[in-house]
Amino acid sequence: MAILKVQNLTVAYPEKIVLENVSFEMEDPSLMVILGPNGAGKTTLLKTILGLLKPIAGKVEILGMNPFREGARVRRMIGYVPQRERIDPTMPVLVRDVVLMGRVPKMPLGAWFREKDVEIAKEALSLVGMEDYWGEPYIHLSGGQQQRVLIARALATDPKLLVLDEPFAGIDLTSRSIILDVIRGKVREGVGAIVVSHNPEPASLADLVLLLNIKVMAFGRREEVLRPELIQKVYGMPVMLGLSPAGDVHV
């Protein structure tokens, strides 16, 4: 059973098509990077996959389930990190509060956090190198540290699929490296991962690459898709890409 299947998906806002006839499939646990310029429909695609936006045509299946009919069930299986999430700085939120939010979908209605939930949250925080910040105020952290905490929250859901919207935007190199390592580690454990980026560089560690600009411009293995002529077609300008012998991409 495919982790994710998107078929002939078209999504529109009033008087404007934002995704047109989009199709692709993630058959095995993989890291898929979705690349495209601003306004390409990347975030819209993620929200449609999550069942938060309804298409005017086409369908989405996550582990054989329809997110528009079984939205709550599907979202319990997904660890989602939205783009540029901000937590109100006037609220006295600790790091542990943020990470424990990831356990809420797994809990009975009205229940309180169990010892197991706390253990899972601490383990997720440890994976991103933030275990020493459990009791620290979230707003005291740097941007990269905050992003790592949000990744830990997504991991705390014990997901079958990770969905991350621009997770590397505006963060330090250390946090970027840690997040990439965690994502790849989860893929090796059998978790699918989708990363959206407007910058081609994160595709250096992808298994699959989707080039998107309203329509699918190309989709396939990294080495098949990350070609200068295809990148130029998507971005509308030349983008210099070099592949090292290991297959890493240099922009």
Side-chain angles (χ1 to χ4, degrees), residues 193-222:
I194 301 173
V195 172
V196 155
S197 178
H198 70 275
N199 187 331
E201 190 176 0
S204 63
L205 292 178
D207 301 306
L208 300 170
V209 176
L210 173 67
L211 299 182
L212 182 70
N213 196 348
I214 311 301
K215 300 179 180 180
V216 173
M217 313 301 283
F219 174 70
R221 307 297 298 180
R222 175 189 64 202

Side-chain angles (χ1 to χ4, degrees), residues 96-167:
R96 67 182 180 218
D97 301 323
V98 176
V99 183
L100 281 168
M101 290 178 195
R103 295 302 302 163
V104 172
K106 303 287 187 179
M107 297 168 59
L109 188 63
W112 192 242
F113 296 115
R114 303 156 293 183
E115 184 176 343
K116 175 185 176 183
D117 298 310
V118 173
E119 290 176 358
I120 291 173
K122 285 185 174 181
E123 181 180 349
L125 204 57
S126 179
L127 282 175
V128 298
M130 295 292 292
E131 61 272 22
D132 293 338
Y133 294 83
W134 176 257
E136 294 294 318
Y138 178 79
I139 62 169
H140 289 179
L141 305 181
S142 69
Q145 289 173 326
Q146 288 184 354
Q147 187 73 324
R148 284 152 66 185
V149 170
L150 295 175
I151 299 290
R153 182 185 65 182
L155 296 174
T157 66
D158 192 22
K160 299 294 184 184
L161 177 65
L162 280 169
V163 177
L164 305 101
D165 194 353
E166 297 283 4

Side-chain angles (χ1 to χ4, degrees), residues 48-105:
T48 307
I49 289 170
L50 291 165
L52 302 175
L53 292 174
K54 192 169 183 179
I56 61 174
K59 67 178 184 176
V60 176
E61 287 185 5
I62 298 177
L63 295 170
M65 293 180 289
N66 184 324
F68 312 113
R69 297 198 193 108
E70 304 171 85
R73 185 181 175 194
V74 167
R75 285 189 285 275
R76 282 197 294 270
M77 305 177 73
I78 295 176
Y80 177 46
V81 180
Q83 185 178 7
R84 293 190 298 270
E85 180 163 358
R86 295 290 182 266
I87 292 177
D88 188 347
T90 65
M91 295 182 65
V93 177
L94 302 180
V95 167
R96 67 182 180 218
D97 301 323
V98 176
V99 183
L100 281 168
M101 290 178 195
R103 295 302 302 163
V104 172

Side-chain angles (χ1 to χ4, degrees), residues 33-38 40 197-204 206 208-213 215-243 249-251:
V33 173
I34 302 175
L35 297 178
N38 291 332
S197 178
H198 70 275
N199 187 331
E201 190 176 0
S204 63
L208 300 170
V209 176
L210 173 67
L211 299 182
L212 182 70
N213 196 348
K215 300 179 180 180
V216 173
M217 313 301 283
F219 174 70
R221 307 297 298 180
R222 175 189 64 202
E223 59 273 16
E224 299 168 348
V225 173
L226 289 180
R227 304 205 309 267
E229 66 272 20
L230 291 177
I231 299 294
Q232 180 172 349
K233 183 179 178 183
V234 171
Y235 286 87
M237 64 180 69
V239 177
M240 298 301 295
L241 293 176
L243 289 176
V249 178
H250 304 279
V251 181

